[in-house]
Amino acid sequence: MKWLAAFISCMMLSAPMLAREITPAERREVPFDASLPACADPSVLQDISANFQHKEYKFWNSDLQIVAFERVQQVVWRPWGLDYIPRRYCTGTVVVSDGYKHKINFSIREDLGFIGIGWDTEACVDGFDRHYAFAPHCKQAAP
């Protein structure tokens, strides 16, 4: 019983330590501007297509590429709050050059491009996550 009382009092005393002020990312000393392109923006889809083709060719010796995007839509914008790096999560369907349709989950992330300049994308096409980085079925590429 004493242990329980000690544990509860420690938790109550440490609760204020866990609370923190939320400073939106746009008001930091080195701020984010939260201006990310839309999910269906042609530059975003081109970036995803190019990355997919490069990965398939370089690592899997495959000539597969994304032929078309269908039903691309935003899932969530800034899912973890205002004080984190702005991210836009999207989903849709892609037609791959093998003729089949596959689900795609991707994110557009601010200032995570080459050497931290510009936006970048991270995508997972279901059925082509051969190294299981986003397993199962690209679920980990969604928020």
Side-chain angles (χ1 to χ4, degrees), residues 69-73 91-93 101:
F69 287 85
E70 298 175 352
R71 297 187 319 237
V72 174
Q73 60 187 356
T91 191
T93 304
K101 293 183 179 184

Side-chain angles (χ1 to χ4, degrees), residues 57-120:
Y57 178 77
K58 184 173 183 178
F59 297 108
W60 304 108
N61 196 24
S62 165
D63 290 329
L64 292 174
Q65 48 189 303
I66 295 175
V67 177
F69 287 85
E70 298 175 352
R71 297 187 319 237
V72 174
Q73 60 187 356
Q74 179 173 303
V75 176
V76 68
W77 163 247
R78 295 180 112 165
W80 297 293
L82 293 175
D83 54 338
Y84 290 93
I85 296 174
R87 297 168 195 251
R88 182 184 312 273
Y89 285 88
C90 311
T91 191
T93 304
V94 293
V95 179
V96 181
S97 57
D98 64 0
Y100 293 101
K101 293 183 179 184
H102 300 270
K103 181 178 180 180
I104 184 169
N105 289 328
F106 63 96
S107 62
I108 308 164
R109 301 141 340 137
E110 184 174 342
D111 289 349
L112 293 175
F114 183 69
I115 64 170
I117 298 173
W119 55 267
D120 191 26

